[in-house]
Amino acid sequence: MKTQVAIIGAGPSGLLLGQLLHRCGIDNVILERQTPQYVLGRIRAGVLEHGLVNLMREAGVSAHMDEHGLEHDGFTLAFQGRCHRVDMKALTGKSVLVYGQTEVTRDLMAARQASGAPVYYEAADVQPHGFLDGKPRVTFTHQGKPMTLECDYIAGCDGFHGVSRKSVPQERIRHFERVYPFGWLGLLSDTPPIEDELVYVNNPRGFALCSMRSPTRSRYYLQCSLAEQVQDWSDDRFWTELATRLPEDIAGKLVTGPSIEKSIAPLRSFVAEPMKFGNLFLVGDAAHIVPPTGAKGLNLASSDVYTLYHALRGALLDGRADLLERYSEICLRRVWKAERFSWWMTTLLHTFDDDPFGRRIQRAEQDYYTSTRAGLTTIAENYVGLPYEAVI
Ligand code: FAS
Ligand code: PHB
């Protein structure tokens, strides 16, 4: 088998890259370890920056998103007994779209199937080779049959636990990491959202987030200890703790109901440098992880896809191989700004134990950033998404 671009992973990064390349005539094959049902079963992000919204439209997969996505002009920060609305539209002229990652992935999967471009689900033992000596190829097993995919380039879109980053020789890669001493317990329910916009809460008992997927489906999160197990959290316990952490006037609007999904996710900040190794390119969670407090994970993956798509177009259609040499430099400039914002939002809104000085600094940050136009603008422009850097 031969193709121009071998894509490892059929999450949002791999599917979006595959769709954009296919539409401009660049052959690509996607190799995914899991089944489509398993990939769709992972409940993750919920907020799309305008950059990702535009990229979905450029990829020709935005019809359902444009019809069902909820445009949000602002969100609320609640702490120290007060609520502060961050009016993104007034401060930046931009908004975000509330539309679940599950829907993004479903739309991209449908487009891939409609295009007839190849995707191998349940591909086992996927392994990139030869990317440092100019002979890139990927071996894998499909339906018990060993396969070899010869290619010009490999896009490692296989997430934090994937094979791509782990295939890079240790001496060629550097990791930067911060692990947080808590996780997020998430709950999905077919109940009406508590407010029309998202509400982020810092309460002495811990962080809480009220989000949504539609006018009838809500997504909630509670900061929890890493020792917690999902099975220790009944729906009643979750609803009671959430109501306790919310400001009273908001808690009074809470509509509870049976959970349709509950899960605990650990929080970490992680960056691998560089993101290019010969003909192998790390994309999205394969290269970086952010705590979800800033709603950046999926959106950062999208800006990597944008950069790699334009660099591959340049190399394969316009003879501009130099653009690929700039991939890592361009991506990392935006990655670190999103890492900073996600880390900062996490320190601003979570409860940290045994740190009286840190707690005073946190209160000062909360006061300053919500009582000045400069502070609110800083939050707003990072939340709607910093500009994508042109690949020229
Ligand atoms: P993904 O991890 O989504 O996709 C990688 C794909 O590669 C998967 O389908 C996997 O099965 C496949 N794969 C892995 N190893 C492979 C191999 N060896 N061979 C073939 N295929 C392989 N972001 C937000 O913005 N907001 C959130 O609230 C949020 N919540 C999250 C909760 C959890 C539990 C996790 C893990 C992440 C969350 N994120 C959130 C971040 C998330 O949305 C990611 O940023 C997003 O999925 C990135 O997409 P990909 O880079 O495609 O990686
Ligand atoms: C979500 O809806 O899942 C969501 C929204 C905003 C975040 C994190 C998660 O910051």
Side-chain angles (χ1 to χ4, degrees):
M1 286 167 66
K2 175 132 178 59
T3 189
Q4 289 176 288
V5 183
I7 298 173
I8 303 177
S13 295
L15 288 167
L16 182 55
L17 179 62
Q19 176 68 3
L20 288 162
L21 293 174
H22 177 76
R23 280 171 65 91
C24 70
I26 293 177
D27 286 340
N28 63 90
V29 175
I30 300 177
L31 308 175
E32 167 57 50
R33 174 165 65 181
Q34 304 290 356
T35 63
Q37 296 72 22
Y38 183 94
V39 175
L40 285 173
R42 295 184 305 225
I43 307 300
R44 290 184 172 170
V47 173
L48 309 189
E49 294 175 356
H50 58 94
L52 174 48
V53 170
N54 292 338
L55 210 48
M56 291 283 283
R57 289 173 180 154
E58 182 176 350
V61 295
S62 65
H64 191 266
M65 179 191 76
D66 286 330
E67 184 183 352
H68 296 283
L70 304 172
E71 185 158 356
H72 281 202
D73 292 343
F75 62 94
T76 293
L77 297 173
F79 34 64
Q80 300 179 47
R82 298 192 309 275
C83 289
H84 309 270
R85 184 169 183 267
V86 180
D87 188 341
M88 298 182 285
K89 193 76 171 182
L91 291 162
T92 70
K94 297 187 180 82
S95 54
V96 294
L97 197 73
V98 171
Y99 188 68
Q101 175 172 326
T102 303
E103 300 313 314
V104 169
T105 306
R106 193 190 317 279
D107 298 342
L108 287 164
M109 279 181 178
R112 188 73 181 183
Q113 186 170 15
S115 73
V119 48
Y120 290 80
Y121 285 97
E122 298 180 89
D125 311 316
V126 176
Q127 182 60 53
H129 306 271
F131 48 86
L132 292 174
D133 60 18
K135 299 173 188 148
R137 68 191 186 284
V138 181
T139 56
F140 64 102
T141 304
H142 190 250
Q143 294 172 349
K145 188 179 167 200
M147 316 278 277
T148 297
L149 179 61
E150 307 289 341
C151 54
D152 299 325
Y153 301 103
I154 304 170
C157 301
D158 47 349
F160 184 68
H161 301 290
V163 66
S164 297
R165 189 180 69 252
K166 294 168 187 163
S167 299
V168 176
Q170 286 301 313
E171 67 276 9
R172 303 282 291 247
I173 194 167
R174 192 174 171 195
H175 297 154
F176 301 82
E177 186 168 31
R178 174 157 299 183
V179 178
Y180 299 88
F182 40 72
W184 276 19
L185 167 62
L187 180 145
L188 194 66
S189 59
D190 280 331
T191 54
I194 199 165
E195 293 283 359
D196 293 340
E197 296 178 335
L198 272 61
V199 182
Y200 290 79
V201 183
N202 170 244
N203 177 286
R205 294 176 65 91
F207 166 84
L209 170 58
C210 304
S211 184
M212 63 197 77
R213 292 292 179 269
S214 74
T216 59
R217 177 164 287 192
S218 297
R219 178 71 169 165
Y220 294 104
Y221 294 97
L222 293 175
Q223 173 184 346
C224 66
S225 152
L226 287 172
E228 294 283 2
Q229 302 287 322
V230 177
Q231 53 268 30
D232 297 335
W233 282 83
S234 67
D235 288 2
D236 286 348
R237 184 184 174 198
F238 185 96
W239 294 124
T240 303
E241 182 60 32
L242 175 65
T244 307
R245 294 187 189 183
L246 296 178
E248 279 183 19
D249 59 328
I250 294 178
K253 304 175 193 171
L254 182 60
V255 176
T256 66
S259 62
I260 51 180
E261 189 271 353
K262 257 186 298 197
S263 53
I264 292 180
L267 269 61
R268 79 174 76 237
S269 300
F270 173 89
V271 180
E273 287 188 6
M275 292 172 55
K276 175 186 181 295
F277 305 89
N279 298 71
L280 170 67
F281 300 84
L282 299 184
V283 184
D285 277 20
H288 41 72
I289 295 287
V290 287
T293 327
K296 291 292 158 234
L298 173 60
N299 293 297
L300 205 43
S302 165
S303 55
D304 290 352
V305 167
Y306 170 88
T307 302
L308 186 53
Y309 162 59
H310 283 282
L312 284 169
R313 276 190 68 134
L316 292 168
L317 302 182
D318 305 328
R320 290 288 311 277
D322 59 304
L323 298 179
L324 287 169
E325 295 310 313
R326 300 192 56 226
Y327 170 74
S328 185
E329 165 213 338
I330 291 173
C331 287
L332 286 170
R333 260 196 291 275
R334 194 171 189 277
V335 163
W336 277 109
K337 293 187 180 85
E339 289 283 347
R340 182 208 69 82
F341 178 67
S342 303
W343 162 82
W344 180 78
M345 282 282 276
T346 303
T347 59
L348 185 78
L349 294 168
H350 286 73
T351 300
F352 293 79
D353 298 333
D354 310 326
D355 183 6
F357 178 80
R359 175 63 183 144
R360 287 294 181 276
I361 293 293
Q362 185 185 58
R363 289 167 67 103
E365 290 263 287
Q366 291 170 350
D367 292 343
Y368 171 72
Y369 277 90
T370 54
S371 61
T372 65
R373 185 177 176 82
L376 287 165
T377 303
T378 298
I379 295 173
E381 65 182 17
N382 279 279
Y383 197 90
V384 297
L386 299 177
Y388 289 7
E389 187 172 329
V391 184
I392 48 180

